[in-house]
Amino acid sequence: MSPYLEQRGALFELLAIWSERGWLREVDRALGQLLAELDPAASPLLLLAAALASHQLGKGHVCLDLASTLADPDFALSLPPEGEEAALLALLPSQVLAGVSLDSWLAACAGSGLLSAEAGPVAPLVLADSCLYLRRYWDYERQVAGHIAARLQQASDAPAQLAQRLQQLFPEPLVLDGERLTDWQKLACALASRSRFTLITGGPGTGKTTTVVRLLALLQEAAMNTGAPLRLSLAAPTGKAAARLTESIGAQVASLPVSDAVRGQIPSQVTTLHRLLGSRPDSRHFRHHHGNLLPLDVLVVDEASMIDLEMMANLLDALPAHARLILLGDKDQLASVEAGAVLGDLCRDAESGGYSAATCAWLTEQTGEAISAPQLQSSNQALAQHIVMLRHSRRFAGGSGIGRLARAVNERNSSGARAILAAGSADLHDLRLSGEQDRSFERLVLDGLAAKANGQGQAPVGYRHYLQVLSSQRPAPEAPASEWDGWAKQVLSAFDQFQLLCAVRKGPWGVEALNERISQALQRQGLLSQDQGWYEGRPVLVTRNDYSLGLMNGDIGIALRLPEPASQPGSEPRQVLRVVFPRNDGSGELSHILPSRLSAVETVFAMTVHKSQGSEFAHCALILPDSLNPVLTKELVYTGITRARSWFSLIESRAGVFEQAVARQVERRSGLRAALLTQTL
């Protein structure tokens, strides 16, 4: 056994070295030290496992799987991508844990007061089979599994005359490219109409919003025909996602083939989950919980892939037992920043369907749709009867380069993805840089791709475009406030035409360095007056909810000089720099905020792919770093590609990194799916 595992002092020296090098978080090291004080008899192996279990939370895992850790020990730390660890070979987990078996590790954990079995007394740690949890996250996982399991067993009554109502909402068969296809949107509405828990997953353009709007119309019309209207609410994890859903909901509701009275009872405003639950400042707790339930009959949550385990536990805890919960999201996107991958765990087998013979027969009877696809399989698992995958994209047609590239990446087909990029397409561009100073990077980011235009003559733009709109369309100083607001909206809209996405924050190809490089390039071109501090044209991203200002994490605003009322009659209005944000209430109005009031913002010429979730841009560019990094996975690449509406550019700083990223898949350890698969019909 390694000498680091023979004595506590040696283990703590090792943990301190790991922390100093950034392989382990300081909070993880401190937890190991604290647990040692709580149980002086705890073995170094148990304390090591506790520190590693804590570290897994920072990597998105809910627990530490001891068996998997022994199979690949170095995966448990945040090691640098290459090079540095070779000089410190003896400090690597693979060396420290050499000779440790699963049985010996489990034996070292046995008997400690720090640890309890699944149903044992309360202790800081929980061991379930070979998985070690911090108690709080074990409790979250049990709560989520328990709430969902109860909902799977408690069916709701489907609306009367369901088949006729569905025919009214889906009057025409689904035909794409001349082929009659199964209408999975219609099937999703039918399945959700009889469930208290429904998951609707699908890629970009598959119609998740369309589906849920028609579902709400179906449920609301049936309720209003027999009594009082349902209490409905729409929510999303971030302000940006909520604002985007608010925009798309309005047009969808207006086109529904239902009465004005029903339309009036379908909400058009989307809130954030934090606001819905009533977040308490400087606290993990919410105003709504099991003792103060949400006053709702139906809750729809969009972008559910972004919901972490803790938030899902809080949401389910606050939802009345009778209420229907409908989760929408793309199971193939990046999982939540915090620990857990709830949507991904639950929808892992969505493509195969897993519907029972009874479910298929009922769906066909109610919808008239043939439930057929080559990959569909039958099962009696309760969870599968509550999941629908939308399979046909209206945004990316069969010939779309973006759509084909996204599918190849999602299938981890790196050679196929490379072939699609090499073949060329009107909506795809691949830029390979020769080095850090390659000026073609700045030309793309500033000027876009002038040579590539669609049928309407539009070309994918860069950041020069919004600054030209800013300068060329500025109103006269004496123009009314409405004209200035119209100009500000044009600038914000122009900025949304392009976004550079990064995989990492640090390094020459990370967010921090590229934000500085781009702002300097824009200043050299005379498009910005300065590149530091607050200046007109600076785009900023909100990084923390600020309810006093009405700003949500993910909101994007731009600093603009706007007129203030004249101090004296006859004098010209004074112009003051304010940061302009679209409001999150769906009104289309703007918020004008003094820069001094903004504390949690950062420049956003470049943003991480994680921060881009819930957003779309006409032209999106993804830049990959010059070395493989743990965050580089097919989920990250797929999410970056699918942020693009019309054009996607891949920027590669070194050959081979794209293929390596596509070949890797996020694996988040949790026991949530296993707990629910025990539920059968």
Side-chain angles (χ1 to χ4, degrees):
M1 183 178 290
S2 167
Y4 291 113
L5 300 179
E6 293 177 355
Q7 295 183 358
R8 288 177 163 210
L11 173 67
F12 295 145
E13 289 177 10
L14 175 69
L15 296 182
I17 294 171
W18 284 356
S19 176
E20 289 169 4
R21 305 201 72 82
W23 298 0
L24 192 75
R25 301 178 304 174
E26 178 60 18
V27 68
D28 310 323
R29 183 206 65 78
L31 177 66
Q33 191 92 40
L34 173 63
L35 293 178
E37 296 172 6
L38 294 176
D39 182 4
S43 76
L45 260 176
L46 172 57
L47 299 175
L48 173 64
L52 292 178
S54 174
H55 188 64
Q56 300 320 292
L57 297 174
K59 298 176 71 176
H61 305 286
V62 175
C63 59
L64 176 75
D65 187 329
L66 301 182
S68 297
T69 301
L70 291 174
D72 185 8
D74 294 341
F75 177 79
L77 290 186
S78 298
L79 295 176
E82 57 186 25
E84 181 185 358
E85 68 270 17
L88 302 164
L89 190 62
L91 298 177
L92 294 178
S94 52
Q95 300 301 309
V96 173
L97 290 171
V100 175
S101 67
L102 178 60
D103 287 341
S104 62
W105 206 345
L106 293 173
C109 296
S112 172
L114 297 174
L115 187 146
S116 65
E118 300 180 38
V122 174
L125 305 172
V126 176
L127 186 64
D129 296 325
S130 66
C131 292
L132 185 69
Y133 291 77
L134 301 192
R135 164 64 66 173
R136 183 153 58 89
Y137 284 87
W138 165 260
D139 289 341
Y140 289 148
E141 190 169 276
R142 293 306 94 187
Q143 288 171 26
V144 170
H147 281 297
I148 293 177
R151 290 178 175 277
L152 297 182
Q153 300 301 325
Q154 298 170 348
S156 289
D157 293 332
Q161 300 178 316
L162 177 60
Q164 293 91 323
R165 295 181 190 278
L166 287 170
Q167 184 58 37
Q168 178 186 358
L169 292 166
F170 297 88
E172 301 295 333
L174 175 62
V175 178
L176 290 177
D177 299 326
E179 182 183 358
R180 171 73 164 89
L181 300 172
T182 300
D183 193 338
W184 288 95
Q185 294 184 11
K186 191 174 183 181
L187 291 169
C189 284
L191 205 60
S193 72
R194 68 173 192 176
S195 303
R196 296 192 187 182
F197 179 76
T198 306
L199 290 160
I200 301 175
T201 185
T206 53
K208 295 185 290 293
T209 304
T210 300
T211 302
V212 80
V213 168
R214 294 184 186 183
L215 172 61
L216 294 178
L218 171 72
L219 297 174
Q220 191 64 283
E221 185 178 44
M224 292 174 68
N225 283 346
T226 58
L230 297 170
R231 298 167 296 174
L232 312 177
S233 187
L234 300 165
T238 66
K240 187 71 174 178
R244 190 171 139 230
L245 183 59
T246 297
E247 290 173 6
S248 59
I249 285 283
Q252 298 275 359
V253 171
S255 64
L256 285 170
V258 294
S259 68
D260 290 341
V262 173
R263 285 196 203 98
Q265 292 296 328
I266 297 176
S268 58
Q269 302 299 311
V270 184
T271 186
T272 64
L273 288 174
H274 281 84
R275 179 166 286 176
L276 175 76
L277 293 174
S279 62
R280 298 181 182 277
D282 303 317
S283 170
R284 307 182 81 101
H285 303 294
F286 295 92
R287 185 164 51 85
H288 287 289
H289 46 75
H290 65 275
N292 181 28
L293 297 173
L294 291 164
L296 292 176
D297 300 307
V298 180
L299 174 62
V300 175
V301 184
D302 195 20
E303 296 290 351
S305 63
M306 301 169 69
I307 305 177
D308 60 80
L309 182 67
E310 181 179 0
M311 174 56 79
M312 185 61 76
N314 284 315
L315 180 64
L316 289 166
D317 188 48
L319 198 63
H322 76 275
R324 301 174 194 261
L325 175 62
I326 299 132
L327 301 179
L328 308 177
D330 186 344
K331 67 180 180 63
D332 298 312
Q333 279 192 31
L334 280 169
S336 57
V337 175
E338 303 298 331
V342 178
L343 187 74
D345 280 345
L346 299 181
C347 294
R348 191 177 305 164
D349 296 330
E351 195 158 349
S352 63
Y355 303 125
S356 68
T359 297
C360 289
W362 184 84
L363 286 172
T364 299
E365 176 187 357
Q366 298 297 329
T367 66
E369 295 291 322
I371 304 174
S372 60
Q375 64 272 40
L376 290 181
Q377 300 175 11
S378 179
S379 83
N380 287 316
Q381 290 175 351
L383 178 62
Q385 318 310 309
H386 297 256
I387 300 173
V388 181
M389 179 175 172
L390 306 181
R391 299 162 191 265
H392 310 302
S393 177
R394 277 79 164 175
R395 183 193 305 172
F396 302 135
S400 160
I402 295 176
R404 289 184 291 116
L405 181 63
R407 283 192 295 273
V409 167
N410 205 19
E411 294 166 0
R412 297 171 66 186
N413 182 358
S414 56
S415 60
R418 175 58 68 192
I420 292 167
L421 287 167
S425 174
D427 57 351
L428 288 179
H429 178 62
D430 184 17
L431 173 62
R432 300 193 185 191
L433 303 177
S434 59
E436 289 185 27
Q437 302 308 314
D438 191 329
R439 292 298 178 186
S440 59
F441 167 77
E442 291 180 11
R443 287 195 293 272
L444 170 62
V445 173
L446 269 61
D447 298 317
L449 302 166
K452 289 200 173 192
N454 62 20
Q456 287 74 45
Q458 297 173 320
V461 300
Y463 288 129
R464 184 188 301 272
H465 171 63
Y466 92 94
L467 291 168
Q468 289 176 333
V469 171
L470 185 157
S471 60
S472 66
Q473 300 184 28
R474 182 190 297 273
E478 65 276 7
S482 60
E483 191 171 330
W484 281 95
D485 269 0
W487 168 71
K489 290 176 184 178
Q490 287 180 306
V491 175
L492 286 164
S493 176
F495 182 80
D496 262 353
Q497 294 300 298
F498 174 73
Q499 182 63 57
L500 176 66
L501 302 181
C502 301
V504 295
R505 292 195 61 84
K506 305 290 185 181
W509 306 113
V511 166
E512 295 174 3
L514 291 181
N515 269 321
E516 183 176 351
R517 178 174 173 178
I518 294 167
S519 58
Q520 289 174 351
L522 290 168
Q523 186 188 22
R524 287 196 300 270
Q525 294 279 326
L527 297 167
L528 293 178
S529 61
Q530 61 190 69
D531 60 11
Q532 299 291 325
W534 284 103
Y535 49 86
E536 185 170 48
R538 181 189 176 191
V540 293
L541 175 78
V542 176
T543 59
R544 189 174 63 242
N545 292 345
D546 188 331
Y547 294 105
S548 65
L549 296 177
L551 298 178
M552 299 292 115
N553 185 1
D555 286 352
I556 291 178
I558 297 178
L560 299 173
R561 293 200 174 277
L562 299 170
E564 293 284 288
S567 56
Q568 295 180 356
S571 62
E572 281 197 8
R574 183 173 63 101
Q575 292 197 349
V576 176
L577 194 69
R578 292 185 181 270
V579 187
V580 180
F581 293 90
R583 287 187 184 170
N584 285 310
D585 57 7
S587 64
E589 299 302 312
L590 301 175
S591 295
H592 307 80
I593 299 174
L594 287 170
S596 59
R597 299 189 65 192
L598 297 170
S599 57
V601 295
E602 58 186 31
T603 302
V604 70
F605 290 118
M607 72 164 69
T608 62
V609 177
H610 264 108
K611 285 290 187 182
S612 75
Q613 287 182 269
S615 301
E616 290 180 358
F617 310 95
H619 178 204
C620 180
L622 171 64
I623 186 165
L624 299 179
D626 54 8
S627 62
L628 195 61
N629 185 288
V631 305
L632 284 174
T633 62
K634 67 105 171 172
E635 287 85 359
L636 180 135
V637 177
Y638 171 84
T639 303
I641 294 169
T642 54
R643 298 312 88 205
R645 283 195 304 271
S646 303
W647 297 278
F648 173 74
S649 295
L650 177 67
I651 307 175
E652 300 181 76
S653 57
R654 197 187 80 179
V657 173
F658 173 76
E659 285 82 359
Q660 290 175 294
V662 170
R664 301 170 71 214
Q665 186 170 5
V666 169
E667 294 183 14
R668 289 201 165 179
R669 315 286 189 211
S670 88
L672 177 61
R673 180 173 175 78
L676 287 170
L677 290 185
T678 61
Q679 299 281 321
T680 57
L681 297 176

